[in-house]
Each structure stands twice: as structure tokens, then as C-alpha cells.
């Protein structure tokens, strides 16, 4: 007879990690007995017993270790797994003993990722796929992020949900920031990072090889064609830049090649412009497709389309290969404006380009117009440019009408110059009454979402009810009363002395008789920039003694330091900021020359906004006058402007109008003299 125990009777097991069970066999008989130890049932293949055969003398006990290592393939579901053993006496095989333990299978995730293809190629853009697999037995999520210095990368979802034993695909779009017109192909490396919850991040390396518009084979064909082809090459180089190349639908822009047997048919180009406005309201982005209808166009052609849009629309994104300034050979590096030419490459069956415009929230009526201006083709080393002809369909403008009504409720976040104890921000609610007698009394509510550096909302004004960050506002039906169409909510935040810059957003949360999941179709939220106290700190210091003598020199040092904005802030980052500080000093100090570090006009010192963490320093020297007058040396913010013109815009020879920002975003400071 024998007695068998197993310890522990239950244990937690994570697939991929070994766990040990101890089998104890006691021989209660009178003879020496050999026992064979085996695992059975589902877990048998994943158990190793050492030793698996033991010799036990009468009255003695022998132990064996059973190591259980479940594979991490995801086949093991959460829950209890019975691990069963047979202890078989060698002399009496049929009189085996059974002992079992409960293995509680724990959750685990085994996330892998693959980029396909890792090497992309194109003249401006490419598309890849990130495949993420979870071989674990538990649901997990993975964050997907991309990084590349000279590429714009986009994923169609930044967070992938991964059920147990599943695979998810994420689309990755790669787009070069500018077009390469000629030269060697350029490789742009990029990295896709997949970070599973609680796991190690996975880095996937990719490369986008950007091809020039003028292919190397075209150069070779042009050179090998002799002197006539050299002329064609020169014309082609100008045509690629879409500059003023002579030629029309009936006159080629280059001397015909002597080897040409028959003239190529002239392509017929007509424009179609389509705006996608279904369920789009004012303030939402609107997509406009430029769809040229082209017949008989060679595969390697470029089409330039002049696009015009009215004020109120702002071009936010586009699928053009490049933008060209009209009537020039200038390929734009900066942002295009109305009247510029959108260039597309007619290759691979591509025949359209989509433009995305931001729209004003108050409502919009207008049209986007496009005209096919020039078609550049290359055949047998010869470049041909077809231009608008007065009697041809080629060049006829097409337009898309855009009419966007405002949301029934839409909001703005503004910053007013505060008086003592004034609000940190103001929310304006607009109620677009129909005015047809069908307007009803409603109660709407919105959520105030401050940036992370704000501890919470201290107070609000004009909310009919307020619960923490939720503001409830009542609207009547009398359209003659302004309070029924526009409401202004002032907001104070806690604490007042918090230093920071971040986005402040307001989002609709409820509306009378509207289901919660449809509120965003009736109420349009808004976002603004919250600057707590100040965006630029000012520190004034004097190097003088408390009782300076006549004709002694005093130096004032003024440091201007910018607050580091949060990572979500995108406003005022592409252009440049300019500060104006009003400098005041007592009559006892006489300036010695102009200040260093700024331009002084009528005591207003103008300087460029410093980068966060690097103070801009202004120094000003004075001589002590006689008679001596004491007083303050003070620097106070009086102007703050933002110029959206980028370095790329300047290279294009273009400027954009500056806009004024609240000057109280600049601090003031003073030091006593005398």
C-alpha cells in the first residue's frame, strides 16, 4: 500500500512561466516498491517529472518534482485547469493511484507586430499596413505611434483593441512634405511604435524612397536623342516646373523630334469638382474632390489645375503632388493660397485630388472653382505643354457649391482682457434660431474640459445650474431677446497662480429631447488656448546701490521667459510671436543709448518671442542725474502679435497678415531705484 500527496493543491500558472508541484509517495507496505510517475490528460505534454521512477522502502517517503510549463500560444483560456498524475506500482500496474492539483491559468498577452511592406516607394506618398497579433489569452490594447523627421505619417487608429488570440490591422499613410522634381531618389526612414498595455514596446523600421518626378530613364532618352533631344530636355525641365513654356493645344512647346512619324493625339481635359457636404455643418471640415476627365493622356503626364476658394475657407490638407504659383516656375514650399495651381501626376490610373477645408462655425455659402491650366507630357524625349485654348473644353472652369448651415448650438472659447478678479476664459454659446415659429424652449448643457495644469473650475457666471465642470443653460423662444440667441459664460479656474499654457475645450453634454448619443449632432463644441496668468514671464533687475551718486552708471537687465506649453498645443507654433514691452524709468535716470536686445520706439521695446527655456535678455544703461529722483524701473507687456508666415512661406516670397493676441499674456515687473 502507498500514500500519495501533492503540494500545493492549487497554484496560479502563467503560460510561458514554469511552476513546480511536489509529489510525495510513502510506502505503507512491507516490501520495497518501485513507482512510475506520469502526468495524464490535457496538461500531460507540458509536465516534466524528475525523477519519473522512484524506489521506496517500507515506511519511507520519497519526493519528486513535477514542473508545469504551459506554452504561451494562447490556447490556454482563463480559469481552472486540472493537472492529474498516475502513480503506478511496478509490481501491480493496475493498482495505480491518482492525485491531482488545480492550476489556475492567469491572463497573459503576447503581442507581436509587423510592418508590410517595410520599404515604400513613390513620388509623394505611400500606404503600408501594420499587423498586430495578440497570441495571449486575454484582451489587451496597443498604442500605435509614428515618428519621422521629414515625413508626415498618419495611422487610421492610434489605439488597437486586441481580443485574445486575434489580429488587428492598422493602415499607415506616408506622405513627403514636399515634391522632388529632379535628382536622385531620396530615402526617408521612419519608425512605427506599437506599445501593448503592460508590455514592451515594439519598434518597426520602415523606409520611404521618394522618387523624383523627372525619372532617370527620361534623362537618358533625352540625351541619347542628340541635339534635338537636348532642346527637348531643356523644355521638359521647364515644363516639369510648370513655368511659362510656350505652346498651346495646337502648338507644341518643343521642336518636334526628327524621328517622330505621326503626331500624338491631343488629350481632351475637362474638370469636375465635387464637394462632399452630406451631414456636414458649419465648422466641420469639408472635402472637395478635383476630378479631371482626361482622354488620350500619356501615362507619364502632369496636370496643373488652378484652384480658387473664397475667404472663410482655410485649406487644411490636400492630395496634390505639389502646388505651383500661377504664371511662374515657382514650386511652392509653403502653404498654398487661393489661385495657386494644384499639380497631380497622371500615373497608375490616378485621376483626382482631394482638398480638405476648414469652415467657419457661423455658417458658410460659397464655391470652390478649379480650372485645368496646363498638361505636360513626355514622349520620346520630347516635352509638350498644352495650355488653355479659348475654343477648347480644356481650361473651362468647374465649381462646387458649398452651403453649410450652423449647428443649432455652437460655441466659442475666447480670452478677454481681465480686470481685477476677471475671468480666465469666456465661453460664448450661439443658438441658431430658425425663426419660423417652431423653436422651442430648451435646456442645454456642456462640459468644460480644462488643460492638465489646471486643478479645477473655481467658479462660473451665468450658468443656470452647475455641477462641477458641467454648465446647464436655459434658452427661451423669444428671438427678439438677445439672451435667447447668445449667452456668455465667464469661467474662473483654480488655482489662479498656476503657470501653464494648454487647450481648453467645451463639449455638449445634453439637450432637451435629444438622446445622449446624438448630442454632438446638435451642439458643436469648441477649443481655445488657456493661458494661466501669463505666457511670458518678465524679470527686472538693477545693478545699482540703494544710494547711487550723481553721474554713476546703472544697468537694468530684463529677462523674458516663455512658458512651456503642453504637448497638445498646436496654436501659434508654426509662425513667430512678437512682444512689445513698455519701459518706464524715473527722471533720476537718463538713458545712455538704445537698449540691447530689442527695438525701442516711444518707450515700447519690441522683441521676438523667445523659445521656452531660453530667456531673451534686454539690457539698458542709465546715468544718474542731478537732481536725483527715485522711482521704479518697470517693464509691462503692451502688445503681443502672431505672424503665421513660416520659413517656407518666406522662401516662396509670401507673407501672411499678423494677428493680435491678448497683451496680458505678458507679465510685468519692476524694481525700485533710489
Amino acid at each position: 500500500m502507498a500514500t500519495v500527496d501533492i503540494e500545493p493543491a492549487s497554484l496560479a500558472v502563467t503560460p510561458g512561466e514554469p511552476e513546480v508541484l511536489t509529489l510525495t509517495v510513502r510506502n505503507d507496505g512491507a516490501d520495497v516498491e518501485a513507482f512510475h510517475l506520469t502526468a495524464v490528460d490535457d496538461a500531460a505534454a507540458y509536465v516534466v517529472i524528475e525523477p519519473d521512477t522512484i524506489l521506496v522502502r517500507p515506511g519511507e517517503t520519497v519526493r519528486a518534482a513535477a514542473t508545469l510549463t504551459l506554452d504561451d500560444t494562447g490556447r490556454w483560456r482563463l480559469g481552472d485547469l486540472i493537472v492529474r498524475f498516475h502513480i503506478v506500482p511496478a509490481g501491480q500496474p493496475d493498482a495505480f493511484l491518482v492525485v491531482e492539483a488545480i492550476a489556475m491559468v492567469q491572463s497573459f498577452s503576447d503581442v507581436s507586430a509587423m510592418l508590410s511592406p517595410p520599404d515604400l516607394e513613390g513620388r509623394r506618398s505611400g500606404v503600408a499596413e501594420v499587423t498586430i497579433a495578440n497570441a495571449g489569452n486575454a484582451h489587451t490594447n496597443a498604442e500605435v505611434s509614428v515618428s519621422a523627421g521629414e515625413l508626415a505619417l498618419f495611422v487610421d487608429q492610434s489605439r488597437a483593441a486586441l481580443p485574445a488570440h486575434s489580429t488587428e490591422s492598422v493602415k499607415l499613410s506616408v506622405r513627403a512634405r514636399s515634391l522632388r522634381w529632379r535628382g536622385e531618389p531620396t530615402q526617408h526612414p521612419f519608425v512605427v511604435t506599437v506599445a501593448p498595455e503592460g508590455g514592451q514596446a515594439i519598434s518597426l523600421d520602415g523606409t520611404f524612397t521618394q522618387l523624383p518626378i523627372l525619372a532617370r530613364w527620361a534623362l537618358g532618352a533625352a540625351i541619347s536623342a542628340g541635339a534635338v533631344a537636348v532642346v527637348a530636355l531643356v523644355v521638359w525641365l521647364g515644363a516639369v516646373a510648370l513655368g511659362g513654356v510656350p505652346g498651346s493645344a495646337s502648338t507644341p512647346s518643343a521642336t518636334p523630334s526628327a524621328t517622330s512619324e505621326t503626331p500624338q493625339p491631343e488629350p481632351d481635359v475637362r474638370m469636375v469638382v465635387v464637394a462632399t457636404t452630406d451631414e456636414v455643418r458649419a465648422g466641420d471640415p469639408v472635402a472637395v474632390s478635383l476630378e479631371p476627365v482626361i482622354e488620350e493622356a500619356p501615362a507619364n503626364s502632369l496636370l496643373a489645375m488652378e484652384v480658387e476658394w473664397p475667404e472663410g475657407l482655410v485649406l487644411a490638407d490636400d492630395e496634390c503632388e505639389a502646388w505651383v504659383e500661377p504664371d511662374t516656375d515657382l514650386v511652392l514650399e509653403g502653404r498654398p493660397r487661393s489661385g495657386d495651381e494644384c499639380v497631380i501626376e497622371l500615373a497608375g490610373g490616378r485621376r483626382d485630388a482631394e482638398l480638405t477645408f476648414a469652415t467657419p462655425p457661423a455658417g458658410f455659402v460659397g464655391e470652390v472653382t478649379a480650372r485645368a491650366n496646363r498638361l505636360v507630357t513626355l514622349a520620346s524625349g520630347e516635352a509638350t505643354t498644352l495650355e488653355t485654348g479659348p475654343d477648347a473644353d480644356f481650361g473651362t472652369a468647374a465649381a462646387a457649391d458649398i452651403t453649410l448651415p450652423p449647428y443649432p448650438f455652437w460655441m466659442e472659447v475666447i480670452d478677454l482682457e481681465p480686470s481685477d478678479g476677471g475671468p480666465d476664459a469666456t465661453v460664448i454659446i450661439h443658438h441658431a434660431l430658425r425663426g419660423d415659429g417652431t423653436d422651442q424652449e430648451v435646456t442645454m448643457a456642456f462640459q468644460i474640459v480644462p488643460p492638465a495644469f489646471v486643478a479645477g473650475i473655481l467658479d462660473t457666471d451665468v450658468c443656470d445650474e452647475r455641477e462641477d465642470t458641467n454648465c446647464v443653460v436655459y434658452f427661451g423662444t423669444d428671438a427678439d431677446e438677445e439672451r435667447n440667441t447668445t449667452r456668455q459664460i465667464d469661467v474662473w479656474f483654480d488655482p489662479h497662480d498656476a503657470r501653464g499654457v494648454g487647450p481648453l475645450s467645451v463639449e455638449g453634454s445634453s439637450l432637451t429631447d435629444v438622446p445622449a448619443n446624438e448630442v454632438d449632432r446638435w451642439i458643436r463644441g469648441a477649443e481655445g488656448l488657456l493661458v494661466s496668468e501669463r505666457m511670458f514671464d518678465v524679470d527686472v533687475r538693477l545693478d545699482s546701490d540703494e544710494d547711487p551718486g550723481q553721474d554713476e552708471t546703472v544697468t537694468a537687465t530684463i529677462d523674458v521667459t516663455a512658458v512651456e506649453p503642453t504637448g497638445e498645443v498646436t496654436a501659434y507654433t508654426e509662425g513667430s510671436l512678437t512682444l512689445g514691452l513698455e519701459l518706464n524709468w524715473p527722471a533720476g535716470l537718463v538713458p545712455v543709448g538704445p537698449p540691447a536686445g530689442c527695438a525701442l520706439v516711444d518707450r515700447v521695446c519690441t522683441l521676438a518671442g523667445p523659445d521656452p527655456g531660453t530667456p531673451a535678455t534686454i539690457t539698458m544703461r542709465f546715468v544718474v542725474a542731478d537732481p536725483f529722483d527715485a522711482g521704479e524701473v518697470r517693464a509691462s507687456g503692451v502688445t503681443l502679435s502672431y505672424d503665421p508666415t513660416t520659413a517656407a512661406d518666406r522662401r516662396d516670397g509670401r507673407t501672411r497678415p499678423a494677428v493680435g493676441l491678448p497683451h496680458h499674456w505678458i507679465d510685468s515687473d519692476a524694481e525700485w531705484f533710489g
Side-chain angles (χ1 to χ4, degrees):
M1 299 233 0
T3 304
V4 182
D5 291 324
I6 187 169
E7 292 183 351
S10 64
L11 75 169
V13 176
T14 300
E17 299 180 7
E19 297 291 344
V20 178
L21 295 163
T22 301
L23 298 173
T24 303
V25 180
R26 177 179 175 83
N27 186 354
D28 297 326
D31 300 320
V32 176
E33 185 67 77
F35 295 91
H36 299 293
L37 313 180
T38 60
V40 295
D41 297 339
D42 294 342
Y46 305 95
V47 176
V48 176
I49 304 174
E50 294 180 345
D52 59 358
T53 299
I54 58 177
L55 188 66
V56 187
R57 293 179 173 84
E60 292 186 353
T61 298
V62 177
R63 292 179 177 84
T67 303
L68 171 65
T69 308
L70 300 180
D71 62 333
D72 55 0
T73 60
R75 61 171 291 186
W76 305 105
R77 303 302 179 187
L78 292 175
D80 294 343
L81 172 68
I82 303 298
V83 183
R84 188 173 287 113
F85 298 89
H86 284 181
I87 293 80
V88 183
Q92 300 179 4
D94 294 336
F96 63 86
L97 301 175
V98 179
V99 66
E100 61 185 33
I102 299 176
M104 297 174 290
V105 180
Q106 304 298 295
S107 64
F108 81 101
S109 60
D110 180 13
V111 176
S112 60
M114 180 179 66
L115 176 64
S116 178
D119 298 315
L120 301 174
E121 187 177 273
R123 287 183 169 83
R124 186 68 182 275
S125 60
V127 177
E129 187 175 71
V130 181
T131 303
I132 309 172
N134 177 17
N137 65 351
H139 183 285
T140 189
N141 297 301
E143 300 289 340
V144 183
S145 59
V146 291
S147 62
E150 299 183 11
L151 294 173
L153 302 178
F154 308 94
V155 290
D156 62 355
Q157 54 178 320
S158 60
R159 183 179 177 87
L162 301 169
H165 215 263
S166 68
T167 300
E168 181 70 18
S169 295
V170 176
K171 180 181 177 182
L172 170 68
S173 300
V174 180
R175 182 176 173 85
R177 299 187 185 279
S178 61
L179 194 68
R180 289 184 59 81
W181 290 94
R182 57 184 68 88
E184 295 295 325
T186 301
Q187 289 190 339
H188 301 289
F190 61 90
V191 177
V192 181
T193 302
V194 179
E197 290 180 346
Q200 187 173 2
I202 304 167
S203 294
L204 305 173
D205 295 325
T207 302
F208 175 66
T209 301
Q210 187 178 8
L211 305 175
I213 289 295
L214 181 57
R216 296 184 65 181
W217 69 264
L219 280 170
I223 293 173
S224 64
V228 173
V230 170
V231 175
L233 173 61
V234 173
V235 176
W236 165 248
L237 291 175
V240 166
L242 296 178
V245 180
S248 65
S250 59
T251 305
S253 60
T255 304
S257 171
T259 60
S260 300
E261 298 179 358
T262 58
Q264 295 294 322
E266 296 179 354
D268 181 18
V269 183
R270 296 181 302 277
M271 284 301 305
V272 176
V273 184
V274 179
T276 305
T277 58
D278 294 343
E279 297 186 3
V280 177
R281 290 186 178 270
D284 295 339
V286 61
V288 177
S289 295
L290 311 180
E291 302 174 359
V293 180
I294 306 174
E295 300 175 1
E296 305 293 344
N300 47 314
S301 303
L302 296 172
L303 178 66
M305 301 170 287
E306 180 181 344
V307 187
E308 295 182 344
W309 59 87
E311 292 186 8
L313 293 184
V314 177
L315 185 64
D317 195 13
D318 66 87
E319 295 179 345
C320 303
E321 296 289 350
W323 286 87
V324 178
E325 188 175 57
D327 302 323
T328 73
D329 60 356
L330 177 62
V331 179
L332 300 175
E333 297 182 42
R335 292 164 292 188
R337 60 190 180 191
S338 178
D340 291 337
E341 294 178 340
C342 166
V343 180
I344 62 173
E345 180 189 9
L346 305 178
R350 179 67 181 272
R351 289 293 188 272
D352 65 337
E354 185 174 275
L355 314 180
T356 303
F357 294 94
T359 62
F364 178 81
V365 177
E367 64 178 23
V368 175
T369 304
R371 176 186 294 104
N373 278 3
R374 287 173 281 184
L375 178 67
V376 179
T377 66
L378 178 66
S380 300
E382 180 176 322
T384 303
T385 300
L386 303 180
E387 297 187 359
T388 302
D391 300 325
D393 289 336
F394 182 26
T396 301
D401 293 325
I402 301 174
T403 301
L404 301 178
Y407 279 75
F409 294 88
W410 57 277
M411 293 182 282
E412 296 177 278
V413 176
I414 64 174
D415 186 313
L416 302 176
E417 180 175 357
S419 57
D420 292 341
D424 295 303
T426 297
V427 179
I428 298 180
I429 309 172
H430 300 270
H431 182 15
L433 293 175
R434 293 186 291 267
D436 58 1
T438 61
D439 291 302
Q440 298 178 351
E441 296 182 355
V442 294
T443 299
M444 66 89 71
F446 64 93
Q447 192 82 8
I448 304 172
V449 184
F453 69 85
V454 173
I457 295 177
L458 185 65
D459 196 7
T460 56
D461 187 23
V462 191
C463 290
D464 294 320
E465 296 179 31
R466 185 172 77 88
E467 297 179 1
D468 193 18
T469 60
N470 202 53
C471 179
V472 180
V473 183
Y474 167 76
F475 284 87
T477 59
D478 188 352
D480 295 331
E481 294 186 25
E482 184 178 353
R483 68 180 181 85
N484 289 326
T485 57
T486 303
R487 296 285 290 274
Q488 178 173 308
I489 312 295
D490 294 328
V491 186
W492 291 261
F493 293 98
D494 181 32
H496 283 291
D497 60 353
R499 292 295 308 277
V501 178
L504 167 67
S505 63
V506 289
E507 305 167 353
S509 55
S510 66
L511 184 64
T512 302
D513 297 332
V514 174
N517 61 345
E518 297 184 9
V519 169
D520 58 354
R521 297 176 56 188
W522 291 76
I523 304 176
R524 183 182 188 275
E527 185 174 283
L529 189 66
L530 178 64
V531 177
S532 181
E533 290 298 317
R534 52 198 175 270
M535 189 174 183
F536 297 96
D537 193 17
V538 176
D539 180 32
V540 177
R541 302 186 305 278
L542 297 178
D543 67 349
S544 66
D545 296 327
E546 292 185 0
D547 189 15
Q550 182 181 353
D551 296 332
E552 288 188 10
T553 301
V554 176
T555 300
T557 302
I558 305 168
D559 284 339
V560 182
T561 306
V563 176
E564 182 75 42
T566 61
E568 303 95 331
V569 173
T570 58
Y572 316 125
T573 56
E574 290 190 344
S576 58
L577 290 162
T578 302
L579 289 68
L581 292 175
E582 184 177 33
L583 305 183
N584 288 288
W585 55 87
L589 294 179
V590 178
V592 180
C598 69
L600 185 65
V601 178
D602 295 333
R603 294 208 175 194
V604 175
C605 194
T606 303
L607 69 157
D611 294 329
T614 305
T617 300
I618 302 167
T619 57
M620 191 170 184
R621 297 176 64 244
F622 301 92
V623 171
V624 180
D626 185 30
F628 174 84
D629 287 335
E632 284 186 336
V633 177
R634 173 173 290 276
S636 303
V638 290
T639 62
L640 179 61
S641 63
Y642 171 67
D643 184 353
T645 304
T646 64
D649 292 328
R650 293 189 184 92
R651 289 193 291 270
D652 293 337
R654 296 183 171 189
T655 59
R656 297 177 182 271
V659 296
L661 299 176
H663 64 81
H664 64 264
W665 289 1
I666 308 174
D667 192 18
S668 64
D669 190 36
E671 185 161 331
W672 184 260
F673 164 74

